[in-house]
Amino acid sequence: MTDTTYLTVGPTTYRLTASPHNSKFVAHAVREDSGERFGIETSGHSADEAMGTLSRWLQWQAEHAQGLEALQQAERVYHRAMADAAFSQTPEAAAEERRTALDAMNAARTHLDETRLRRPNV
């Protein structure tokens, strides 16, 4: 017997399906917008356990993707500040802009590292 449920994470809805496999259940996710499989397969002693593990992983994955995007954006701002400083008329303002951009980049990196530490065991 196959169990199906739906999970929305951010703007994306997934159809989670768990099917019996030997003495366990194996779950996978399909994106509703594209119909393509997404992510990893998980297993559990029940369909609910397998889909619960998959749900936690999908939520973590979305947070990780957001954290990575935030870090990349902060890196772009920092590199722009470094380049702009070369043409700045006021070295003090350029130094403050670089410091602010570096602080934002370090905060984004720290957040991403913390997110990676919370990766669910699957």
Side-chain angles (χ1 to χ4, degrees):
M1 181 172 108
T2 300
D3 287 20
T4 301
T5 190
Y6 293 86
L7 173 70
T8 300
V9 180
T12 307
T13 298
Y14 301 96
R15 182 178 66 247
L16 309 183
T17 303
S19 304
H21 183 70
N22 296 329
S23 62
K24 293 189 173 200
F25 283 80
V26 175
H28 69 273
V30 174
R31 289 178 60 118
E32 281 295 292
D33 59 351
S34 67
E36 295 179 11
R37 282 180 76 142
F38 180 83
I40 61 172
E41 283 188 349
T42 59
S43 64
H45 295 293
S46 68
D48 287 342
E49 182 182 347
M51 288 192 291
T53 301
L54 182 56
S55 294
R56 287 187 296 280
W57 185 87
L58 288 167
Q59 291 165 347
W60 171 84
Q61 192 280 331
E63 182 182 355
H64 182 263
Q66 289 171 349
L68 185 57
E69 175 60 32
L71 175 57
Q72 291 169 339
Q73 178 63 30
E75 288 173 337
R76 285 190 289 274
V77 170
Y78 176 73
H79 291 295
R80 197 171 320 119
M82 293 297 290
D84 290 349
F87 303 103
S88 176
Q89 298 297 323
T90 58
E92 298 81 16
E96 181 61 29
E97 185 178 342
R98 284 194 316 266
R99 252 190 314 278
T100 300
L102 181 60
D103 289 345
M105 187 173 66
N106 286 333
R109 181 178 292 116
T110 298
H111 176 72
L112 183 59
D113 289 344
E114 290 168 353
T115 300
R116 287 178 172 157
L117 290 173
R118 290 191 307 274
R119 182 175 189 227
N121 293 328
V122 291

